[in-house]
Amino acid sequence: MGKDSKSKEASGKGKGKQAASGSDESSSKGKGKGGKSADGLGTCTYVKARHVLCEKQGKINEAYKKLQDGWLNNGDKVPPAEFAKIAAEYSECPSGKKGGDLGWFPRGKMAGPFQEVAFNTPVGVTSAPFKSTHGYHIILAEGRKN
């Protein structure tokens, strides 16, 4: 629902974008006039991300505090290698052994809130902790593509 209305607002066209030929799709790759489409937020097809997953809110908050103390409170972006160390230490997901690396995944593969945050977090930015059906997460967006 929200995804469709965002793309309509950002492009001003909205209808028929999915059914149109590849030429419309390539025009939304971030070279458009609107600010939202320029960074690909809400319009990209794939995201590359790392995450930390914890069952308990207290544990995810502890991991996020480490990220805040090291980088976020200074206005810095968390380097992927440092995020990977936090994921390896705190994450309860099997991906934690790989530094929380989820690789590239398409829109529609992840559950609701996780997908929403992953596809709306700018590249290089770390999300605030949030809850999904699987537990509590922090996401580091590493890339996006169509």
Side-chain angles (χ1 to χ4, degrees):
M1 284 192 268
K3 175 185 78 160
D4 291 336
S5 62
K6 279 185 186 178
S7 64
K8 286 177 190 173
E9 290 170 14
S11 69
K13 297 177 185 173
K15 295 180 184 171
K17 195 168 195 178
Q18 296 295 336
S21 69
S23 61
D24 275 359
E25 198 172 332
S26 64
S27 68
S28 67
K29 280 190 178 178
K31 296 177 183 158
K33 297 172 190 162
K36 285 228 177 207
S37 61
D39 59 12
L41 291 181
T43 62
C44 66
T45 307
Y46 289 87
V47 167
K48 183 175 192 295
R50 292 180 182 274
H51 82 133
V52 177
L53 168 66
C54 299
E55 184 182 339
K56 304 281 186 206
Q57 188 173 13
K59 188 172 180 182
I60 200 77
N61 289 341
E62 189 179 318
Y64 191 68
K65 180 160 179 21
K66 276 197 169 185
L67 296 170
Q68 285 178 311
D69 292 347
W71 300 275
L72 300 176
N73 286 343
N74 300 327
D76 296 329
K77 292 183 176 179
V78 180
E82 297 301 322
F83 188 94
K85 289 178 187 175
I86 299 293
E89 182 179 346
Y90 286 93
S91 188
E92 297 165 9
C93 179
S95 69
K97 294 175 183 164
K98 300 184 299 178
D101 188 6
L102 297 172
W104 290 98
F105 55 88
R107 191 177 294 277
K109 181 174 181 179
M110 301 296 185
F114 190 94
Q115 174 174 284
E116 193 69 29
V117 174
F119 279 85
N120 287 298
T121 301
V123 173
V125 174
T126 302
S127 75
F130 66 95
K131 186 174 182 9
S132 81
T133 54
H134 300 287
Y136 296 89
H137 305 264
I138 303 168
I139 293 176
L140 171 63
E142 292 190 291
R144 55 184 77 254
K145 65 183 180 181
N146 285 333

